[in-house]
């Protein structure tokens, strides 16, 4: 088993949070609060009313949880690749289908940890009268009001988002690294890692954004007003009926804007950590 990938994924994920959290705050707000009509307007209003601190509210918990979920994703992905390679035969290279299926497994495995975040206190705060004073208060309030089951609200759309999204994510990264690595070269150049990581992040979010909108709405449902949705299907149909299908891509711009720098950092830190931890073992790319 490749334990280095779990540790490297954890460090890479934590570094990615520091880069992407302000984008994440804006993304969640334009998804869940109708007062914001677009990315720039949300940015201006948040800065005006809350200052720079408003973009980093509640970041302490995601630093911990994202490092954990990122560890699960990268570790699961790498070890699934190893298992599939052994299935094909000793020394057999992994196929593109192996990469896709391993990424899918990593995305679904992550859902077992990410849904524990609750989602209520991250970037979607009611500016007039916040319901949650912080991550811990959010966690306790959800358990008191909805029971432990409330912590898993949005878990199904999360799985439907992260499975295909991470499959696309890793397949894009692997393919771009292969294209940019000359035959016979053992390690991918850092410029190729940065470019492949950034593009992979954008590709993954392009697939996952519609379900990300549904997940955010289900998790925020009832936080500031009476519950509106009975479940996943009802949330989809009501959203389309009231706002049209284009709302599912309302946050695609901010997702892609966030994804490129964040995943440049994630993959660069991941690759660096893996190369250090696995030495003198030969490493190419994941």
């Amino acid at each position: 088993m490749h334990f280095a990938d779990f540790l490297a994924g954890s460090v890479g994920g934590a570094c990615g949070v520091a880069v992407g959290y302000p984008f994440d705050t804006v993304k969640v707000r334009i998804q869940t609060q109708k007062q914001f009509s677009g990315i720039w307007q949300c940015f201006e209003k948040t800065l005006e009313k809350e200052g720079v601190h408003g973009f980093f509210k509640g970041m302490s918990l995601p630093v911990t949880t994202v490092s954990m979920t990122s560890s699960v994703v990268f570790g699961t992905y790498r070890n699934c690749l190893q298992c599939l390679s052994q299935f094909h035969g000793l020394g057999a290279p992994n196929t593109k289908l192996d990469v896709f299926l391993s990424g899918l497994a990593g995305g679904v495995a992550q859902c077992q940890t990410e849904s524990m975040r609750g989602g209520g206190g991250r970037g979607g705060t009611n500016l007039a009268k916040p319901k949650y004073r912080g991550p811990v208060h959010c966690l306790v309030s959800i358990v008191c009001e909805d029971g432990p089951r409330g912590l898993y609200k949005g878990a199904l759309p999360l799985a439907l988002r992260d499975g295909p999204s991470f499959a696309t994510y890793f397949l894009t990264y692997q393919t771009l690294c292969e294209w940019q690595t000359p035959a016979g070269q053992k390690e991918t150049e850092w410029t190729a890692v940065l470019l492949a990581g950034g593009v992979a992040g954008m590709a993954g979010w392009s697939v996952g954004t519609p379900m990300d909108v549904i997940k955010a709405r289900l998790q925020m449902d009832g936080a500031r007003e009476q519950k509106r949705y009975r479940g996943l299907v009802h949330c989809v149909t009501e959203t389309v009926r009231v706002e049209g299908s284009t709302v599912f891509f309302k946050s695609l711009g901010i997702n892609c804007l966030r994804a490129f720098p964040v995943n440049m950092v994630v993959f660069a830190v991941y690759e660096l950590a893996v190369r250090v931890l696995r030495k003198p073992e030969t490493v190419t790319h994941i």
Side-chain angles (χ1 to χ4, degrees):
M1 178 175 283
H2 293 272
F3 291 104
D5 294 84
F6 286 99
L7 179 57
S10 176
V11 177
C15 291
V17 171
V19 176
Y21 200 82
F23 294 101
D24 230 15
T25 298
V26 173
K27 179 198 75 173
V28 173
R29 291 187 177 193
I30 64 175
Q31 281 181 343
T32 59
Q33 298 183 27
K34 294 181 180 179
Q35 69 192 73
F36 300 122
S37 58
I39 298 172
W40 184 247
Q41 188 253 359
C42 179
F43 175 83
E44 286 184 321
K45 288 292 183 183
T46 301
L47 187 62
E48 177 187 340
K49 294 186 177 182
E50 301 171 69
V52 175
H53 173 71
F55 296 104
F56 294 93
K57 280 184 177 178
M59 194 177 75
S60 57
L61 183 62
V63 167
T64 303
T65 56
V66 170
S67 64
M68 179 172 62
T69 57
S70 185
S71 172
V72 170
V73 169
F74 280 90
T76 301
Y77 169 77
R78 178 66 176 131
N79 284 283
C80 282
L81 276 183
Q82 182 187 30
C83 291
L84 290 171
S85 179
Q86 292 174 348
F87 176 79
H88 294 315
L90 186 63
N94 288 112
T95 65
K96 292 294 189 293
L97 180 60
D98 291 343
V99 174
F100 184 87
L101 292 175
S102 297
L104 185 72
V108 172
Q110 177 204 224
C111 298
Q112 305 307 310
T113 54
E114 184 172 340
S115 55
M116 288 294 292
R117 295 184 200 177
R122 184 182 174 202
T125 311
N126 188 335
L127 300 181
K129 186 179 180 182
K131 181 174 181 178
Y132 306 121
R133 295 190 296 271
V136 175
H137 181 241
C138 173
L139 181 68
V140 173
S141 297
I142 290 172
V143 172
C144 290
E145 293 172 9
D146 300 325
R149 183 179 178 183
L151 296 173
Y152 292 90
K153 187 190 295 183
L156 178 58
L158 179 64
L160 294 176
R161 182 197 75 178
D162 284 351
S165 179
F166 274 103
T168 304
Y169 179 68
F170 284 111
L171 181 60
T172 301
Y173 180 76
Q174 182 85 358
T175 301
L176 289 177
C177 281
E178 289 178 0
W179 285 354
Q180 297 177 90
T181 305
Q185 184 171 313
K186 293 182 178 180
E187 292 187 347
T188 307
E189 296 289 342
W190 287 110
T191 52
V193 169
L194 292 171
L195 178 62
V199 174
M202 293 175 69
W205 273 111
S206 295
V207 172
T209 291
M211 271 299 164
D212 189 51
V213 174
I214 295 301
K215 178 189 77 74
R217 293 190 173 209
L218 285 173
Q219 289 182 328
M220 289 298 297
D221 190 29
R224 298 187 303 272
E225 54 188 22
Q226 188 175 359
K227 287 182 179 292
R228 296 174 54 194
Y229 307 120
R230 295 192 295 270
L232 173 64
V233 175
H234 184 244
C235 180
V236 173
T237 55
E238 275 297 294
T239 299
V240 171
R241 183 182 66 82
V242 176
E243 301 174 63
S245 58
T246 57
V247 72
F248 294 121
F249 297 95
K250 183 179 179 181
S251 60
L252 180 59
I254 187 65
N255 279 342
C256 288
L257 183 64
R258 170 192 180 277
F260 195 89
V262 167
N263 289 285
M264 281 176 61
V265 171
V266 169
F267 273 108
V269 173
Y270 168 82
E271 291 284 3
L272 178 62
V274 163
R275 292 178 189 187
V276 171
L277 292 169
R278 288 189 193 165
K279 282 186 177 181
E281 182 184 344
T282 300
V283 179
T284 53
H285 50 76
I286 64 172

